[in-house]
Amino acid sequence: MSPEGGQLTYPRRPGDTVSAADRLAFESLRTLVLDAAYPCVMARSAFNTHRLRVATYGTLGSADNSALMCHDLYDFCNDFAAPVAQATSFIACFGNGSTSDEASFEAALWAQLQSLHDIDRRFHDWAPGVRSDPADPNFSFSIGGRAFFIIGMHPHAPRLARRTALPVMVFNLHEQFVAQKDAGKFDTIRDKIQVRDVRLQGHANPMSADFGARSSPRPGGWRLCSAARCQKRTT
């Protein structure tokens, strides 16, 4: 991704140009996140420091997205090599009509993660330092051998800060939260986000109490759990 007129572009391969869909998705998210009332200061930091990628795909939950998403996420991991201490995110935007409510969005999100994992486990071990069982409090999704804290956003999200025009998955590198905790900054950042969230919606998001420590939403017995464990035995 490179600066262009003060904004960012995301060519997927050398010589590619940025699609109109990618540019529109980037500008829509940029407008949302940089609004003065938006609570997540880490998201604002990622946009302001150009430490992010934005790309568009088809219908959320479709296996047709997964090969290109893996390619893009692997490039993202290479571009932001470990260790990462600053806010750093990969944002995947999907076509409209793929979710109609919170439950359908959650199901589609986990279907997409499962499809990504089915490809990734052929090439990479699960990220060290996090668990592969989604029911475990120390679970983080792994791709390319890196751990990610994933946030879902969509048109019907109950939280105003998670409400977007299109379904969105935000892949935040888990190691940034570890670095913040090691530096003694995590609690201050979390508290600041909660205060801003109360101003926006009247009450804080309960999931932000352990922001960065576990992924949301969490599945009920999703098969990723067993697939992730099988991944460790599969070459």
Side-chain angles (χ1 to χ4, degrees), residues 61-64 66 70 110-120 223:
S62 171
D64 293 341
S66 297
C70 278
W110 282 95
Q112 193 69 69
L113 290 179
Q114 179 67 58
S115 183
L116 291 172
H117 171 68
D118 289 342
I119 295 174
D120 183 69
R223 72 184 181 97

Side-chain angles (χ1 to χ4, degrees), residues 168-231:
V168 170
M169 293 173 65
V170 183
F171 293 75
N172 296 299
L173 280 166
H174 180 81
E175 59 211 47
Q176 64 189 279
F177 303 108
V178 175
Q180 289 160 8
K181 289 178 180 179
D182 290 345
K185 298 178 180 179
F186 179 85
D187 289 347
T188 299
I189 294 172
R190 179 201 58 203
D191 293 348
K192 186 174 183 178
I193 291 172
Q194 287 184 322
V195 168
R196 293 172 63 87
D197 203 18
V198 170
R199 289 176 185 165
L200 178 66
Q201 189 149 2
H203 57 281
N205 185 347
M207 291 302 297
S208 66
D210 53 358
F211 182 67
R214 61 175 184 165
S215 292
S216 171
R218 302 183 68 76
W222 206 257
R223 72 184 181 97
L224 177 68
C225 174
S226 59
R229 287 196 291 265
C230 289
Q231 179 271 342

